[in-house]
Amino acid sequence: MTVRVQREAFDLGRELDALSAGNHAIGGLASFVGLVRDVAPPGGEGAALAAMTLEHYPGMTEKMLERIEAEANRRWELEASLIVHRYGRMEPGEPIVLVACASAHRQAALEACQFLIDWLKTKAPFWKVEESDGGEGRWVEARDSDEAAAARWSEDGPKAAE
Amino acid sequence: MTVRVQREAFDLGRELDALSAGNHAIGGLASFVGLVRDVAPPGGEGAALAAMTLEHYPGMTEKMLERIEAEANRRWELEASLIVHRYGRMEPGEPIVLVACASAHRQAALEACQFLIDWLKTKAPFWKVEESDGGEGRWVEARDSDEAAAARWSEDGPKAAE
Amino acid sequence: MARLLYFAWLKSHTGTAEEEVALPQEVTTVAELLAWLPSRGPGYAKALENPKLIRVAVNQEYARPGDPVAAGDEIALFPPVTGG
Amino acid sequence: MARLLYFAWLKSHTGTAEEEVALPQEVTTVAELLAWLPSRGPGYAKALENPKLIRVAVNQEYARPGDPVAAGDEIALFPPVTGG
């Protein structure tokens, strides 16, 4: 179980190789990488995105990510798990976040990976501000679909996120 | 859309980087890697696995993988997809298969990735023979759980696989 | 004194990312804090005009309207998160 | 002549991975092929003794019992797949 919050980009291949290296009980390794798109999401009227900046809440971010990861390890039998989340300024094509889960069996790895990214989207204190070409920064609004995705995993049924 | 069937190992980081390189419409990249475990699955009584060999049906393998991938691209809006499947002899810790899907949105990438590995497990003509330490080769039996996983994706409800 | 933190667009309205504030005696819960803050000035009123968009964390834990706040707490106000 | 392919443990029983076979006139479907093959020898009988474990592909397409087979076809017999 590892959580890292950092400004620098990460090397996807190196992170994944390190996660499974030397553990021959691992039968499946699932991962998800979120990347900066060059198209602003709904509300930005499709303006080309020049860059985005992620603000976060140092201290609480790490705490929440560690808790989310511990919850995934409680729900699924994982051999290894990793969350790397960046903050600061990023341009289109750059990776923002990596979640990865390794397990003896593929289903556990895949489900835990989906769980982590869904929860992180609604629980981890990050806020995006987007710079359009020539325009000024615009704070991205939260999406109901993210709340719905996270609510799927609620153990006492869908409910409003805190 | 790319399918490769090969004897050689693959470099996970290089494959994933190549898949998303230069396409800034990609917001999410999901991947799954299957690895050789050192523990034989149920039926092998937990004997340590020395190696396994994957036999396949050249020609039909590529055809089935291409069809599975095309189906994923029909069901989800993907920016890129990749299946790399190895054959031949592999030792514990070695990667067997990689599936990866990139999309504007994370849900499409994650679901398509899960779909690909579930279908591939029941449709792609590969057969595993396991070598235990000191023992001789044992053909791995198909698992009902794999059929059930693939049946989830059947568009006219769960049914027996062909 | 409590330490108040503001993130994302809330910070633009309050004009500060962080401040030490003496909580008045009638402010003992998150809800009471949110009701009192707008009285501190037009920027605060603007930041808090839509309470549905405000999330609160007390000592780095998500808090509900009825949860207590007190001197010594680190209290963060922010909009719904948009990371990942 | 049809080309028959055997994979995995079927191959161990038949003793061959691949052979050219003249299909008798009564063999026009997958089911008829599976019914006829055991008569070719004890290895074939052994390979096909549990028909539930046999999958068939005709010209590299999964085939059902009623699907036709004919001279010129590539017909593969194998157990349920276990890749991935």
Side-chain angles (χ1 to χ4, degrees), chain C residues 3-84:
Chain C
R3 193 165 163 231
L4 296 188
L5 307 181
Y6 308 95
F7 290 96
W9 50 259
L10 270 82
K11 181 176 51 182
S12 320
H13 294 313
T14 61
T16 182
E18 187 174 336
E19 57 183 345
E20 296 283 329
V21 170
L23 299 177
Q25 212 157 3
E26 73 271 22
V27 171
T28 62
T29 66
V30 168
E32 286 162 0
L33 175 71
L34 293 179
W36 169 70
L37 273 177
S39 72
R40 299 191 63 224
Y44 292 88
K46 176 80 181 152
L48 295 166
E49 72 182 350
N50 189 347
K52 282 195 174 174
L53 293 182
I54 310 298
R55 301 289 178 276
V56 179
V58 177
N59 298 324
Q60 304 189 354
E61 296 284 349
Y62 283 107
R64 294 161 189 273
D67 288 343
V69 295
D73 283 346
E74 174 178 302
I75 307 168
L77 288 81
F78 47 78
V81 305
T82 56

Side-chain angles (χ1 to χ4, degrees), chain D residues 14-83:
Chain D
T14 61
T16 181
E18 188 174 334
E19 58 184 344
E20 296 284 329
V21 170
L23 299 177
Q25 213 157 5
E26 73 270 21
V27 172
T28 63
T29 66
V30 166
E32 287 161 359
L33 175 71
L34 294 180
W36 169 70
L37 274 177
S39 72
R40 299 190 66 222
Y44 292 87
K46 176 81 181 151
L48 296 166
E49 71 182 354
N50 189 347
K52 282 195 174 173
L53 293 182
I54 310 298
R55 300 292 179 272
V56 178
V58 177
N59 299 322
Q60 304 188 355
E61 296 285 347
Y62 282 107
R64 295 161 189 273
D67 289 343
V69 296
D73 283 347
E74 174 178 304
I75 307 169
L77 286 81
F78 46 78
V81 305
T82 55

Side-chain angles (χ1 to χ4, degrees), chain A residues 55-60 63-64 67 85 97 120-128 139-142 162, chain C residues 5-9 11-12 55 57 59-64 74-76 78-84:
Chain A
E55 181 179 340
H56 78 122
Y57 182 174
M60 183 170 172
K63 199 179 208 173
M64 291 307 298
R67 192 174 301 169
H85 206 307
V97 59
L120 183 159
K121 282 263 181 187
T122 59
K123 300 287 184 191
F126 286 94
W127 302 273
K128 271 182 196 148
W139 289 101
V140 175
E141 283 175 35
E162 283 152 73
Chain C
L5 307 181
Y6 308 95
F7 290 96
W9 50 259
K11 181 176 51 182
S12 320
R55 301 289 178 276
N59 298 324
Q60 304 189 354
E61 296 284 349
Y62 283 107
R64 294 161 189 273
E74 174 178 302
I75 307 168
F78 47 78
V81 305
T82 56

